[in-house]
Amino acid sequence: MTFNRYEWRLVLRVIFLFIAITATAMVVVAGRANYIYGVLTIPMVVFSVLDLIRFQRKAQDEVNQFVESIHYRDFSRHFDVRRAPNELKPLRKGFNEINTTFKLISRERETQYHYLQKILELVDTGLMSYEQETGETGWINEAFKNLIGVPYLKTIHSLEKREPELYNNIIGLKPGDAQVFSVTRNQQQVKMLVSASIMRSDNKMYKLVAFQNVSEALDETESKAWSKLLNVMTHEIMNSVAPISSLADTLKNRLKSPEITGGIDASDLEDIELGIDTIKRRSEGLLKFTESYRSLNKITRLDLNKILVRNMFENLNSLMRPTLEKKHIELDIILRDPALAIEADINLLDQVMINLLVNAIEAVKDRPEPRITLAAEVQGSNKIIVKVMDNGVGMPPELLDKIFIPFFSTRKTGSGIGLSLCKQIMLLHKGNIQVQSTEGKGSSFLLTLSPPVTAPSAP
């Protein structure tokens, strides 16, 4: 076993103190004749004790200074080793090594924190954490702020005033569970998959909630489900109705033969013909109705080209002008960038735009100053938004989720195919169609499309 310099100095001080105490004890035991030697030994004991106390106090002061720097997280503090007493040099050297290690750990943690922060800001999933006991929020990323539409939340309870239904759903969501909730944003229904988990930090329980926009994914899944259903329905209906129409034709021809007309009263014959005509007419109507829904499943491929939005708007204006002038409807076109272009199948996109314009004309026809607006702009995510807006009658909130469902129509003469077809065309373009509407004020249909990869060219 070897001793360092600090330990040797401590051992020498203890030995010197032991010798002084021993000498003093011997003087006391020897009697009065040797008391004169006590004048020498007692100061030696006092000096040794004070020196040992001073030595320990210096070490204690160094430790206190180091503890203070640790308490205030001041890892930049440097203990001068060269100017320190010999017995304190090892101590100061150790403190400096500890500070260096702490600085390295702190730098690594800070780097990891900033790295994690950047990752959380880049993901599309909204994240929020809050302390379960007090409700104080810990972490909120930009995706959450944009998705929920709140710039800042001090506590989770602040969300109750803005979104009471969402607040209750979050509070009631159990850790490990996931549910789909709907939130209205700018008169649009946004579906979010919300999941929660629990974590412990500094003896506090935090609830971490994740919000993921699943509207587009659900729309695509819903569209595929409707497509499969329509395939089955059109197949079964046409297989069942076609023989009925054919049989009605056969019966009507048989009624014209002399052997049948001669044995039946004229009024009865007329009733039978009327009934057969009704069966035939309704069968043909049902076949035509079913055939129209087949168009929902015929579109599988796109002929994509680079299209100038300006040219598309001008073509639509020329096409719809007679109808608009006849109904005294004003059409406005707002396009700040004449070179704005999209990548789309112009034939299918024209079909979508015409359908939306026809619906807008129907919505504004009874308004005192009917107006329809076509607009386009670039969104922050490098997507292009094409808008068809009107100042018509608008729609109540309960209809906004239903208008894109096949078979659903708000008009008595509507087939419910138009907007369903529009939605399928937009999904094929890897885009989306959304509606914003306020009852009594008007509606806006928003088409999300991608810009062309290369320079635009006229269609």
Side-chain angles (χ1 to χ4, degrees):
M1 180 177 177
T2 59
F3 296 98
N4 58 32
R5 183 178 297 178
Y6 171 80
E7 291 170 338
W8 274 116
R9 288 180 177 273
L10 182 61
V11 169
L12 290 175
R13 281 179 168 84
V14 172
I15 293 174
F16 185 76
L17 177 62
F18 175 76
I19 293 172
I21 293 174
T22 302
T24 303
M26 292 176 63
V27 169
V28 172
V29 172
R32 292 183 178 181
N34 296 320
Y35 276 176
I36 190 171
Y37 295 106
V39 177
L40 299 175
T41 58
I42 292 175
M44 289 174 58
V45 173
V46 174
F47 173 78
S48 298
V49 171
L50 292 177
D51 183 62
L52 187 61
I53 292 174
R54 181 183 60 81
F55 177 77
Q56 289 301 114
R57 183 170 292 175
K58 283 184 178 180
Q60 186 64 40
D61 289 342
E62 296 288 330
V63 172
N64 289 338
Q65 292 179 29
F66 176 72
V67 170
E68 184 180 6
S69 67
I70 295 297
H71 178 73
Y72 291 104
R73 299 179 183 272
D74 182 16
F75 305 128
S76 62
R77 185 167 184 176
H78 178 75
F79 295 87
D80 192 354
V81 177
R82 290 185 301 176
R83 297 182 181 180
N86 291 331
E87 63 270 17
L88 295 180
K89 285 182 177 180
L91 195 61
R92 289 192 175 185
K93 184 179 179 181
F95 290 161
N96 288 335
E97 291 177 353
I98 294 174
N99 270 344
T100 302
T101 304
F102 271 124
K103 281 194 290 186
L104 180 61
I105 294 174
S106 178
R107 191 180 303 116
E108 290 177 350
R109 290 184 60 184
E110 186 176 359
T111 302
Q112 291 177 353
Y113 173 79
H114 288 299
Y115 182 70
L116 178 61
Q117 189 178 33
K118 290 297 181 183
I119 291 177
L120 294 179
E121 292 299 340
L122 289 174
V123 297
D124 293 332
T125 302
L127 297 172
M128 178 194 67
S129 66
Y130 67 91
E131 188 184 348
Q132 283 198 297
E133 185 175 349
T134 63
E136 292 185 2
T137 56
W139 174 262
I140 297 179
N141 67 348
E142 288 297 324
F144 171 83
K145 297 176 184 178
N146 296 332
L147 194 62
I148 306 300
V150 292
Y152 174 73
L153 277 180
K154 185 176 182 181
T155 68
I156 185 64
H157 308 301
S158 304
L159 190 63
E160 186 175 10
K161 296 180 180 179
R162 294 174 176 266
E163 296 286 346
E165 185 176 354
L166 180 62
Y167 167 78
N168 292 328
N169 290 332
I170 293 174
I171 296 299
L173 189 63
K174 296 180 180 178
D177 289 351
Q179 296 182 21
V180 176
F181 302 138
S182 294
V183 179
T184 302
R185 287 288 164 270
N186 298 321
Q187 293 98 34
Q188 296 181 37
Q189 287 287 334
V190 179
K191 295 182 178 66
M192 295 184 297
L193 177 64
V194 184
S195 55
S197 61
I198 292 294
M199 61 181 182
R200 182 185 293 274
S201 177
D202 297 331
N203 296 324
K204 295 180 181 179
M205 297 294 292
Y206 288 89
K207 188 174 184 180
L208 179 64
V209 189
F211 302 79
Q212 187 174 3
N213 189 340
V214 293
S215 294
E216 293 184 7
L218 290 178
D219 286 344
E220 187 173 354
T221 303
E222 183 181 347
S223 178
K224 291 180 179 178
W226 278 115
S227 179
K228 293 179 181 179
L229 175 62
L230 290 173
N231 275 333
V232 174
M233 290 184 63
T234 53
H235 178 75
E236 294 299 327
I237 291 175
M238 295 190 75
N239 284 350
S240 300
V241 175
I244 296 176
S245 178
S246 178
L247 184 60
D249 267 337
T250 303
L251 290 175
K252 187 173 182 179
N253 291 331
R254 290 288 304 275
L255 284 176
K256 295 178 180 178
S257 60
E259 61 271 15
I260 294 180
T261 55
I264 302 178
D265 186 69
S267 60
D268 292 337
L269 185 61
E270 185 178 350
D271 290 340
I272 293 174
E273 288 181 347
L274 180 61
I276 292 175
D277 284 339
T278 302
I279 293 173
K280 177 177 174 58
R281 186 172 64 255
R282 294 305 302 157
S283 299
E284 290 177 347
L286 186 57
L287 283 173
K288 186 176 180 181
F289 175 79
T290 307
E291 183 66 29
S292 67
Y293 277 95
R294 278 189 167 182
S295 60
L296 283 174
N297 300 316
K298 286 181 179 178
I299 307 169
T300 56
R301 298 182 61 184
L302 300 176
D303 182 17
L304 296 176
N305 289 288
K306 303 173 188 67
I307 310 299
L308 283 173
V309 177
R310 176 191 64 199
N311 292 348
M312 181 179 70
F313 283 174
E314 289 176 354
N315 293 337
L316 289 170
N317 184 32
S318 300
L319 179 66
M320 303 300 294
R321 185 181 301 160
T323 304
L324 295 170
E325 290 179 349
K326 182 179 179 180
K327 297 181 179 291
H328 305 288
I329 299 173
E330 185 175 350
L331 178 65
D332 292 336
I333 295 178
I334 302 175
L335 188 60
R336 296 181 180 178
D337 183 6
L340 188 63
I342 55 176
E343 189 171 55
D345 186 323
I346 187 59
N347 294 320
L348 293 179
L349 189 58
D350 276 346
Q351 187 175 350
V352 173
M353 296 297 293
I354 291 171
N355 198 308
L356 295 178
L357 284 171
V358 169
N359 287 347
I361 290 172
E362 184 70 20
V364 303
K365 65 179 183 180
D366 296 326
R367 305 294 282 182
E369 296 181 0
R371 181 186 300 272
I372 300 174
T373 303
L374 298 179
E377 61 183 17
V378 179
Q379 204 178 43
S381 58
N382 200 27
K383 292 288 186 178
I384 296 175
I385 306 297
V386 177
K387 301 179 181 179
V388 180
M389 301 173 284
D390 65 69
N391 63 343
V393 294
M395 291 176 284
E398 59 269 16
L399 292 184
L400 297 181
D401 275 345
K402 300 177 181 178
I403 60 174
F404 296 109
I405 297 177
F407 309 105
F408 181 82
S409 176
T410 57
R411 296 196 302 236
K412 293 182 179 180
T413 58
S415 63
I417 186 175
L419 291 177
S420 302
L421 187 58
C422 291
K423 187 168 188 176
Q424 183 176 354
I425 291 173
M426 293 307 301
L427 289 175
L428 285 173
H429 280 82
K430 305 300 181 184
N432 198 10
I433 179 171
Q434 295 176 314
V435 60
Q436 300 174 351
S437 187
T438 302
E439 196 170 7
K441 294 184 178 181
S443 302
S444 298
F445 284 85
L446 285 69
L447 309 180
T448 304
L449 292 158
S450 299
V453 178
T454 57
S457 60

